[in-house]
């Protein structure tokens, strides 16, 4: 798989695999840890979870920008990995809620430095005209999902069977492996994604510290700031609104003041589609929060006499992605050869339809389940399957769309906007999850008819809202596609 690619690809692949291993391993347990270990109410737990996931992708904006301007991707990834190892091991041994928040802050800033920049590094390994680039990204995306599939299975099982700290500890060991691989592989990355101005970075400034050292110190400041925000979670909504408005206004300004008419049309199409991704991810991101709790409480998880712990199901989407991604890309290529490949707008429409169907299926399953019984596992797996098949129509397509439709000069910013949309969705997802929260969590939920009815109601509404959004996009699609005739199929 790697023989025809630069050696550096393997290093990025393995680093990102382990980073996602630690991220998804920890996240599979997180909601239960909040509810069962810290005894936060269910509603509060969803909000803390939402704050964490929203901040993770918000800092990616900053991590990307600092790497572009000062550190270069190679140093930024190393910094991120060190923060992540510290954060994950911290959670494994932490004792108080404040130290826990501090560890979450380390992870948030760590992902911010690592995640966007490993992708940049992959891109940097290939010259612009290198035809291996797409294949390189496909391999990289596989790495993400191998980590995402294995971690919930292993950490979820350890955490639920032997105790939280074993699960979190394994996530930490995974991240340590990532840091190790990345440091060992440095020579394969030298020359790619170096700091744009290494001399400037080395120059001593205040107290004879180099600028590089100052950036590292500022990073510690950033961690402390995020820690503070984790304690003042009510400001995350306004922060997102402010960033969103500024980004939206900047894109509009740029489109009308700095672009040729053709660039403007493409940029506006790209921005419009990004708005629709928010609807998609906000529903998709129920996975780690409300659907995780749902699996624990409402689903009959017995297979061959063994009751599978709920967090282990968090690995399913990645397994579906590994199996389905080659199928999806062959389908697009097959249709492309016949000049029938759907436009990005149509693929997004399919994606939103699928999340809608996912929730309608679950709600139907609940309605068909006898009172007092748990819902059959098949309904739940079907829901995860539909969420993932939707993801395959949107996530890879979305990234490619940004690089294709945004003017080259602002691709980085538009990638940032993609992450910001994900961040906003994670925040909204938490508020949606809260609607499913039970007021008396100790009551066995499947026999609690009020709780069953509330899940069925919320998930049916979500399904209908998604179908409405899909209908809107379907109507808009021809208009959008007409504006980008030369880059769309
Ligand atoms: N599974 C993807 C990942 O962890 C989800 C994602 C898509 C995250 C796009 C950010 C941006 O990489």
């Amino acid at each position: 798989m790697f023989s025809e690619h630069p050696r550096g690809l393997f290093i990025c692949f393995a680093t990102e695999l382990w980073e996602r291993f630690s991220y998804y391993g920890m996240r599979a347990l997180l909601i239960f840890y909040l509810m069962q270990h810290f005894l936060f109410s269910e509603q509060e737990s969803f909000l803390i979870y939402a704050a964490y996931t929203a901040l993770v992708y918000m800092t990616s904006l900053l991590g990307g920008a600092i790497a572009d301007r000062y550190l270069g991707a190679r140093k930024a990834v190393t910094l991120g990995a060190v923060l992540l190892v510290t954060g994950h091991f911290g959670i494994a041994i932490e004792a108080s809620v404040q130290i826990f928040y501090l560890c979450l802050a380390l992870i948030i800033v760590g992902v911010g430095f690592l995640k966007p920049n490993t992708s940049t590094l992959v891109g940097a390994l290939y010259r612009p005209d290198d035809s291996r680039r797409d294949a390189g990204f496909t391999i990289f995306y596989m790495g993400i999902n191998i980590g995402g599939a294995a971690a919930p299975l292993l950490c979820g099982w350890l955490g639920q069977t032997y105790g939280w700290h074993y699960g979190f500890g394994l996530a930490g060991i995974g991240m340590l492996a990532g840091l190790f691989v990345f440091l060992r592989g440095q020579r394969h990355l030298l020359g790619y994604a170096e700091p744009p101005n290494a001399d400037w970075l080395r120059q001593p400034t205040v107290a004879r510290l180099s600028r590089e050292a100052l950036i590292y110190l500022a990073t510690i400041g950033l961690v402390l700031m995020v820690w503070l925000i984790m304690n003042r979670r009510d400001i995350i909504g306004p922060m997102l609104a402010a960033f969103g408005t500024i980004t939206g206004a900047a894109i509009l300004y740029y489109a009308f003041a700095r672009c040729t008419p053709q660039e403007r049309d493409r940029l506006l199409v790209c921005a419009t589609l990004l708005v629709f991704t928010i609807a998609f991810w906000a529903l998709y991101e129920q996975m780690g929060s409300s659907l995780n709790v749902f699996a624990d409480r409402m689903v009959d998880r017995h297979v061959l006499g063994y009751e599978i712990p709920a967090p282990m199901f968090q690995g399913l989407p990645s397994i579906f992605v590994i199996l389905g991604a080659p199928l999806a890309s062959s389908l697009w290529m097959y249709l492309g050869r016949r000049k029938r490949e759907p436009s990005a707008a149509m693929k997004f429409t399919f994606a939103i339809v699928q999340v809608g169907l996912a929730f309608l299926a679950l709600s139907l399953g609940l309605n068909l389940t006898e009172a007092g019984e748990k819902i059959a596992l098949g309904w739940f797996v079907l829901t995860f399957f539909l969420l993932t098949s939707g993801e395959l129509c949107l996530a890879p397509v979305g990234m490619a769309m940004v690089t294709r439709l945004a003017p080259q000069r602002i691709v980085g910013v538009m990638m940032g906007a993609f992450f910001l949309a994900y961040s906003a969705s994670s925040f909204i997802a938490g508020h949606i999850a809260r609607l499913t929260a039970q007021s008396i969590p100790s009551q066995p939920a499947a026999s609690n008819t009020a709780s069953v009815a509330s899940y069925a109601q919320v998930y049916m509404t979500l399904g209908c809202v998604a179908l409405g959004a899909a209908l809107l996009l379907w109507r808009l699609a021809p208009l959008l596609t007409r504006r980008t005739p030369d880059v769309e199929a």
Side-chain angles (χ1 to χ4, degrees):
M1 186 161 80
F2 291 98
S3 58
E4 287 167 15
H5 289 270
R7 280 288 290 164
L9 178 66
F10 177 74
I11 308 301
C12 294
F13 168 91
T15 309
E16 181 67 355
L17 185 158
W18 285 118
E19 185 270 329
R20 291 286 96 184
F21 180 94
S22 64
Y23 179 74
Y24 284 116
M26 188 285 244
R27 209 185 78 161
L29 293 167
L30 181 59
I31 193 75
F32 299 116
Y33 191 59
L34 292 167
M35 284 162 55
Q36 295 164 12
H37 175 79
F38 286 125
L39 303 178
F40 284 114
S41 74
E42 195 174 337
Q43 302 215 358
E44 192 66 20
S45 302
F46 284 136
L47 292 184
I48 298 172
Y49 179 95
Y52 167 67
T53 46
L55 285 169
V56 158
Y57 293 111
M58 219 191 284
T59 51
S60 299
L61 275 177
L62 205 65
I66 292 176
D68 283 351
R69 310 203 78 193
Y70 308 116
L71 283 182
R74 207 165 52 80
K75 283 177 191 288
V77 170
T78 313
L79 171 62
V82 171
L83 295 172
L84 282 164
V85 169
T86 322
H88 282 294
F89 276 125
I91 290 196
I93 54 175
E94 131 284 325
S96 76
V97 73
Q98 279 311 323
I99 304 289
F100 172 71
Y101 283 158
L102 178 62
C103 295
L104 288 186
L106 283 162
I107 298 177
I108 288 165
V109 178
V111 176
F113 273 105
L114 194 143
K115 174 107 169 119
N117 295 317
T118 37
S119 316
T120 319
L121 250 173
V122 173
L125 296 173
Y126 301 92
R127 275 209 280 273
D129 55 346
D130 196 325
S131 60
R132 295 171 303 171
R133 174 188 296 265
D134 276 3
F137 269 103
T138 309
I139 294 176
F140 181 71
Y141 197 59
M142 283 292 168
I144 289 182
N145 285 291
I146 294 172
L153 296 180
L154 293 171
C155 301
W157 169 71
L158 270 180
Q160 296 274 284
T161 317
Y162 294 99
W164 304 111
H165 295 292
Y166 289 95
F168 292 139
L170 183 63
I173 292 173
M175 195 54 238
L176 195 60
L179 176 61
F180 182 73
V181 173
F182 193 71
L183 289 178
R184 282 293 303 258
Q186 293 278 301
R187 67 200 155 90
H188 299 298
L189 302 170
L190 280 176
Y192 304 107
E194 294 302 314
N197 189 345
D199 285 336
W200 182 88
L201 207 58
R202 247 181 264 120
Q203 270 162 23
T205 51
V206 207
R208 294 231 292 278
L209 288 169
S210 68
R211 290 205 166 96
E212 185 172 352
L214 280 186
I215 294 179
Y216 297 144
L217 279 180
T219 305
I220 299 178
L222 182 64
V223 170
L224 297 178
M225 207 168 94
V226 173
W227 183 22
L228 221 80
I229 298 176
M230 280 307 294
N231 276 292
R232 291 291 321 272
R233 290 181 295 279
D234 43 345
I235 67 171
I236 296 177
M239 263 167 74
L240 274 169
F243 284 150
T245 313
I246 294 170
T247 312
I251 292 174
L252 281 179
Y253 167 79
Y254 197 88
F256 285 100
R258 301 285 188 83
C259 285
T260 64
Q262 189 199 36
E263 282 177 336
R264 182 195 61 211
D265 284 355
R266 288 186 188 174
L267 181 59
L268 292 179
V269 167
C270 180
T272 311
L273 287 174
L274 282 188
V275 173
F276 279 92
T277 68
I278 299 181
F280 175 84
W281 293 119
L283 301 198
Y284 177 92
E285 278 297 321
Q286 295 304 306
M287 206 133 67
S289 56
S290 79
L291 286 173
N292 205 356
V293 174
F294 180 88
D296 185 53
R297 219 180 245 163
M298 315 288 280
V299 178
D300 179 5
R301 289 173 280 107
H302 285 93
V303 175
L304 304 173
Y306 172 69
E307 184 169 40
I308 304 174
M312 289 178 74
F313 288 100
Q314 297 291 311
L316 260 189
S318 284
I319 296 174
F320 288 142
V321 168
I322 294 170
L323 300 176
L327 281 178
S329 68
S330 339
L331 176 67
W332 304 141
M333 260 152 50
Y334 172 84
L335 291 172
R337 278 196 300 274
R338 279 164 184 67
K339 304 250 172 294
R340 300 288 292 271
E341 184 175 1
S343 63
M346 279 314 286
K347 287 180 188 163
F348 278 30
T349 308
F350 298 149
I352 301 174
V353 167
Q354 285 169 88
V355 274
L357 292 180
F359 284 103
L360 290 180
L362 199 58
S363 164
L364 176 68
L366 276 172
N367 282 314
L368 294 178
T369 305
E370 301 260 338
E373 295 280 311
K374 288 191 168 182
I375 182 172
L377 188 57
W379 290 108
F380 189 72
V381 173
L382 175 66
T383 303
F384 270 32
F385 176 81
L386 287 167
L387 291 177
T388 317
S389 56
E391 174 187 356
L392 284 173
C393 294
L394 185 133
V397 179
M399 296 246 182
M401 172 198 78
V402 169
T403 54
R404 206 157 20 101
L405 289 183
Q408 212 48 47
R409 316 181 286 281
I410 58 161
V411 168
V413 177
M414 291 305 287
M415 248 337 162
F418 186 89
F419 276 102
L420 190 63
Y422 200 114
S423 169
S425 313
S426 304
F427 180 78
I428 297 168
H431 284 265
I432 297 176
R434 214 158 67 115
L435 299 176
T436 67
Q438 258 187 271
S439 42
I440 324 165
S442 54
Q443 235 176 313
S447 55
N448 177 344
T449 42
S451 166
V452 175
S454 117
Y455 274 118
Q457 174 70 45
V458 172
Y459 288 156
M460 185 157 89
T461 313
L462 289 185
C464 294
V465 169
L467 292 187
L471 186 68
L472 183 64
L473 184 54
W474 180 62
R475 298 303 303 243
L476 274 177
L479 184 79
L480 296 176
T481 314
R482 217 177 305 133
R483 303 245 160 211
T484 55
D486 48 333
V487 284
E488 292 278 14

